[in-house]
């Protein structure tokens, strides 16, 4: 289940998964613009809900640059989402300079059910469907584009969204990867793994 917040001003509900604006919503929670609620709460069921979604490839690239590149740089290897990779590769290889985005995609492809239990990798349409089963007034908002900030800010009741992680530590790392450096075969695999996300949320891999 994703993290669920409610705006303290407008009483709109937001469902946020990992690598889909999570840090931004946590910051808003600390600033008391939002409060955390549960899936079973009356507030969740009786207020308009919005699921924040992101292009699946962009989301996976963000995971790689954060949890893999930063691991190589800082030698930190503590999170479950990192240890999951040891089901396919040795730890020494994962934290080495040789571990690539292609290796990550391959791991998820051959151990799909195992990786999909993690909030970093679970298909977003599953979250959307789960939320919709408990709330009759659910919409989704794409992270991409200039309208995300003003629309979401208005729904929350703040002037603007905070810039959290606007300059990630891995931004200038030589092994950090962007869309134009992704192998076409990896793009095809991601599109297969997240086929329903691409269809339901009308995504294409033009995420620039």
């Amino acid at each position: 289940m994703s993290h669920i917040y409610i705006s303290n001003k407008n009483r709109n509900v937001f469902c946020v998964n990992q690598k889909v604006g999570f840090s931004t919503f946590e910051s808003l929670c600390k600033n008391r613009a939002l409060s955390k609620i549960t899936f079973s709460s009356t507030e969740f069921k009786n207020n308009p809900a919005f699921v924040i979604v992101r292009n699946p490839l962009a989301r996976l690239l963000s995971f790689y640059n954060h949890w893999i590149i930063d691991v190589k740089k800082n030698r930190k290897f503590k999170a479950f989402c990192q240890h999951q990779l040891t089901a396919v590769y040795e730890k020494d290889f994962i934290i080495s300079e040789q571990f690539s985005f292609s290796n990550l995609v391959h791991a998820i492809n051959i151990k799909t059910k195992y990786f999909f239990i993690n909030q970093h990798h679970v298909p977003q349409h599953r979250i959307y469907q789960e939320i919709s089963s408990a709330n009759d007034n659910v919409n989704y908002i794409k992270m991409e584009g200039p309208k995300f900030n003003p629309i979401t800010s208005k729904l929350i009741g703040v002037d603007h969204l905070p810039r959290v992680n606007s300059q990630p530590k891995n931004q200038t790392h030589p092994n950090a990867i962007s869309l134009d450096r992704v192998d076409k075969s990896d793009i095809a695999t991601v599109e297969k793994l997240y086929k329903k996300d691409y269809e339901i949320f009308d995504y294409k891999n033009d995420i620039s």
Side-chain angles (χ1 to χ4, degrees), residues 149-164:
N149 194 313
I151 289 174
T152 308
S153 298
K154 184 176 181 180
L155 289 169
I156 294 172
V158 295
D159 293 334
H160 57 82
L161 300 182
R163 292 178 63 85
V164 180

Side-chain angles (χ1 to χ4, degrees), residues 20-62:
V20 191
F22 171 70
S23 297
T24 296
F25 278 79
E26 282 291 290
S27 177
L28 288 164
C29 198
K30 291 177 182 178
N31 294 339
R32 300 184 179 179
L34 299 171
S35 297
K36 293 183 179 180
I37 59 174
T38 64
F39 181 75
S40 59
S41 67
T42 301
E43 289 180 310
F44 168 73
K45 297 177 180 179
N46 293 340
N47 288 287
F50 300 87
V51 179
I52 310 301
V53 299
R54 187 177 189 179
N55 180 292
L57 182 58
R59 183 175 171 226
L60 203 56
L61 285 169
S62 179

Side-chain angles (χ1 to χ4, degrees), residues 85-123:
L85 291 165
T86 61
V88 182
Y89 303 106
E90 295 292 332
K91 176 184 174 181
D92 287 344
F93 176 63
I94 298 167
I95 64 177
S96 74
E97 294 297 322
Q98 284 70 46
F99 190 84
S100 66
F101 183 71
S102 294
N103 293 133
L104 172 63
V105 172
H106 173 71
I108 298 173
N109 191 38
I110 66 173
K111 292 277 188 179
T112 304
K113 289 184 179 180
Y114 177 55
F115 280 96
F116 277 7
I117 66 173
N118 191 313
Q119 284 192 17
H120 291 87
H121 305 307
V122 62

Side-chain angles (χ1 to χ4, degrees), residues 18-21 25 51-62 124 140-152 161 179 197-198 200-208:
Q18 296 287 351
K19 310 312 297 179
V20 191
F25 278 79
V51 179
I52 310 301
V53 299
R54 187 177 189 179
N55 180 292
L57 182 58
R59 183 175 171 226
L60 203 56
L61 285 169
S62 179
Q124 296 165 92
Y140 65 86
I141 306 173
K142 293 183 177 183
M143 276 187 66
E144 295 80 11
K147 293 183 179 181
F148 173 71
N149 194 313
I151 289 174
T152 308
L161 300 182
L179 177 61
D197 280 2
Y198 281 100
I200 292 174
F201 305 122
D202 191 28
Y203 270 120
K204 304 288 189 298
N205 279 322
D206 50 354
I207 60 175
S208 58

